[in-house]
Each structure stands twice: as structure tokens, then as C-alpha cells.
């Protein structure tokens, strides 16, 4: 191989590596803006940050989708997603065992299309009336491979169409692991719900 060809291959490799590099969110306060500025197929990495306040993502619409890689991140007050499409949230810890979140659910999503949560961990505080994930008015939504602990209801789907809830683990849910209302064409598969302690008239799963 000539020196020219070697140089050309090296430049091509560098170019592809650069194109594949994810954009990094610099702080909790920039996550929403970074997502809104993302290009189709981009991944926004949070790194090992702790966000004490709730993150609000509104009117995100990226053709082809964008991923928030929250692996290693902790969102003490969770995330709200509204009127958005094409968002995948991967990893992260939402809520706290030590205290309740201000919002009822650690992740609340409404008016979402092509929305996915995967590989996340959800915890509720001692109040006993908080939830893990709530999705309202959703189309093509997925919640999978996630862990939920100490919620009143782990996962709630209201008026959702074309949904998948798979391989999630629910522990210490005082009412429901999964609650589905007014939804159509959904698959619930290979989830693990278990708890025995009753609170009031609740019926733990």
C-alpha cells in the first residue's frame, strides 16, 4: 500500500470517527437545549451528572430521532417530556428513596410519538404515592429493561397506541406494577412484578 493510500484511509477513518462522536450535554441546564439543537440520529451524553431540579423537554421534533444517553446520570426530580417526537432516553436514575419527587411521576410524558425509555432505574420516596413513568396520549412508545422500586404505580399508560412494555422489574409497588387505561395495540411481555405488603386498600402486584 502506497503512502498516499495509507494517508487516505487514515483520513477516512478519522472522518467517520468524528461523525460518530456523540454530542455532550455540558450541564443539567443545557440538556433540553442540546436535544432541541440535535441533528437526526445524534446522541446527547450527559456523563455522570446529578440534576437536583426537574428537566423539562418540550416540543422536541427531530426527524429520525435523537437519543439522550443518561448512563451514569441521576435526576433527583425526574424529567417531563411534552409534545415531542423521536426521543429515546437510555439509562439514568430517576427519583430518590430518601425523598419524594415534587411531580407525581419521575418521568411524565404527554403528547409523545416514537418515545422510548430503556435501561433506566426509578425510585420513589417514603410518601408512598409517587410513580415511576406515566405516558399520556402517546403513539409508538416503549418502556423496557428498566427497574422500578417503591412506587404506588410503576408504569402508567393512558390513551396510548402501539406500546411495548418488556423486561421491566417492579419491586415494592404498593398498588400496580403496570397500569393500562384506554390504550390500544400494546404488548406487555417478560415483566417481573412482585410485592406482598398491603397499604390501605391497595392491591400490590
Amino acid at each position: 500500500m502506497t503512502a498516499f493510500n495509507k494517508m487516505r484511509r487514515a483520513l477516512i477513518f478519522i472522518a467517520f470517527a468524528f461523525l460518530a462522536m456523540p454530542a455532550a450535554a455540558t450541564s443539567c441546564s443545557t440538556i433540553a437545549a442540546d436535544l432541541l439543537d440535535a441533528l437526526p440520529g445524534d446522541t446527547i451524553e450527559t456523563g455522570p451528572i446529578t440534576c437536583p431540579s426537574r428537566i423539562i423537554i418540550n416540543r422536541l421534533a427531530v426527524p429520525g430521532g435523537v437519543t439522550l444517553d443518561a448512563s451514569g446520570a441521576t435526576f433527583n426530580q425526574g424529567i417531563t417530556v411534552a409534545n415531542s417526537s423521536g426521543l429515546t432516553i437510555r439509562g439514568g436514575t430517576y427519583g430518590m428513596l430518601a425523598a419524594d419527587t415534587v411531580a407525581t411521576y419521575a418521568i411524565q410524558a404527554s403528547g409523545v410519538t416514537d418515545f422510548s425509555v430503556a435501561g433506566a432505574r426509578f425510585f420513589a420516596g417514603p410518601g408512598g404515592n409517587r410513580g415511576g413513568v406515566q405516558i399520556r396520549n402517546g403513539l409508538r412508545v416503549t418502556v423496557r429493561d428498566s427497574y422500578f422500586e417503591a412506587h404506588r404505580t410503576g408504569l402508567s399508560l393512558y390513551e396510548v397506541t402501539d406500546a411495548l412494555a418488556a423486561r421491566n422489574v417492579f419491586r415494592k409497588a404498593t398498588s400496580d406494577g403496570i397500569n393500562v387505561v384506554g390504550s390500544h395495540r400494546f404488548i406487555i411481555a417478560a415483566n417481573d412484578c412482585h410485592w406482598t405488603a398491603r397499604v390501605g386498600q391497595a392491591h400490590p402486584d
Side-chain angles (χ1 to χ4, degrees):
M1 183 181 296
T2 66
F4 174 77
N5 284 336
K6 287 182 178 179
M7 182 177 293
R8 185 176 67 177
R9 292 186 65 178
L11 289 173
I12 291 172
F13 175 80
I14 292 171
F16 274 104
F18 177 77
L19 290 172
M21 288 177 63
T26 55
S27 69
C28 298
S29 62
T30 66
I31 289 175
D34 290 337
L35 288 170
L36 290 171
D37 290 339
L39 297 175
D42 274 358
T43 295
I44 305 299
E45 289 188 345
T46 64
I49 61 176
T50 297
C51 299
S53 300
R54 194 167 183 86
I55 305 301
I56 309 297
I57 301 167
N58 189 29
R59 300 190 182 282
L60 172 69
V62 180
V66 62
T67 297
L68 175 63
D69 186 349
S71 302
T74 299
F75 301 90
N76 288 341
Q77 293 296 329
I79 292 178
T80 293
V81 182
N83 308 309
S84 297
S85 63
L87 175 61
T88 294
I89 298 175
R90 186 170 64 219
T93 299
Y94 306 84
M96 306 165 284
L97 287 172
D100 288 331
T101 56
V102 174
T104 305
Y105 284 83
I107 289 183
Q108 287 181 298
S110 60
V112 292
T113 302
D114 298 317
F115 175 71
S116 176
V117 176
R121 292 163 55 85
F122 298 91
F123 297 97
N129 62 350
R130 292 296 186 259
V133 175
Q134 182 192 72
I135 302 174
R136 285 184 176 272
N137 300 313
L139 174 63
R140 295 189 298 275
V141 302
T142 300
V143 180
R144 62 177 178 83
D145 302 304
S146 295
Y147 178 82
F148 299 78
E149 182 176 325
H151 300 96
R152 179 174 176 81
T153 301
L155 171 61
S156 295
L157 302 175
Y158 292 93
E159 298 181 1
V160 170
T161 301
D162 296 329
L164 171 67
R167 299 185 302 275
N168 300 295
V169 175
F170 301 89
R171 292 291 181 268
K172 302 181 181 180
T174 58
S175 182
D176 298 307
I178 301 174
N179 189 23
V180 180
V181 178
S183 298
H184 308 279
R185 298 199 303 270
F186 56 87
I187 297 173
I188 297 177
N191 297 285
D192 184 350
C193 303
H194 179 72
W195 189 236
T196 58
R198 187 178 181 121
V199 178
Q201 297 301 310
H203 45 90
D205 295 333

